[in-house]
Amino acid sequence: MPTLIEAPAVIEAAGNKPKRIEEYAGRVRTAHDGVSVARMVAPSGWVEPGQRPEFEEITVVLRGTLRVEHEGGVLEVGAGQAVVAHPGEWVRYSTPGAEGAEYVAVCLPAFSPDTVHRDP
């Protein structure tokens, strides 16, 4: 029988401003370690520390613009677009636009504070 996930787990986010993370599947909400699926709502001007995660992260932007800094430059990912950050790549996410951003992140394997490797 399929499992209904009635509500996400709300998780504290890293960064300079409060960002809402709603995990629907992953280590916290469903004890999945192979994948995590979360909706993020980040305010204008939010920036998180850079990271070099061990997992692949596929991000689909639903509203606003997500800036993705990487060792080769910067990507501006707008609503209706997606970006894939590969394991071992350095990336830093931010929302410089006036409206912030809403996006869905899928991590393979699931996001873990132990495998994200954030900058000090």
Side-chain angles (χ1 to χ4, degrees), residues 4-76:
L4 174 64
I5 300 169
E6 292 184 13
V10 177
I11 300 170
E12 185 176 335
N16 65 327
K17 292 184 172 184
K19 174 180 92 167
R20 184 171 177 87
I21 299 176
E22 299 173 346
E23 182 185 274
Y24 286 87
R27 295 177 194 275
V28 175
R29 181 65 183 94
T30 59
H32 282 90
D33 59 5
V35 65
S36 59
V37 179
R39 175 179 171 256
M40 318 283 195
V41 180
S44 175
W46 167 80
V47 179
E48 75 175 356
Q51 59 191 32
R52 193 177 295 277
E54 296 177 23
F55 48 82
E56 180 174 59
E57 185 167 4
I58 303 162
T59 303
V60 179
V61 178
L62 305 173
R63 180 184 54 80
T65 299
L66 182 67
R67 176 176 286 161
V68 182
E69 296 174 62
H70 56 94
E71 290 174 314
V74 176
L75 296 171
E76 300 284 338

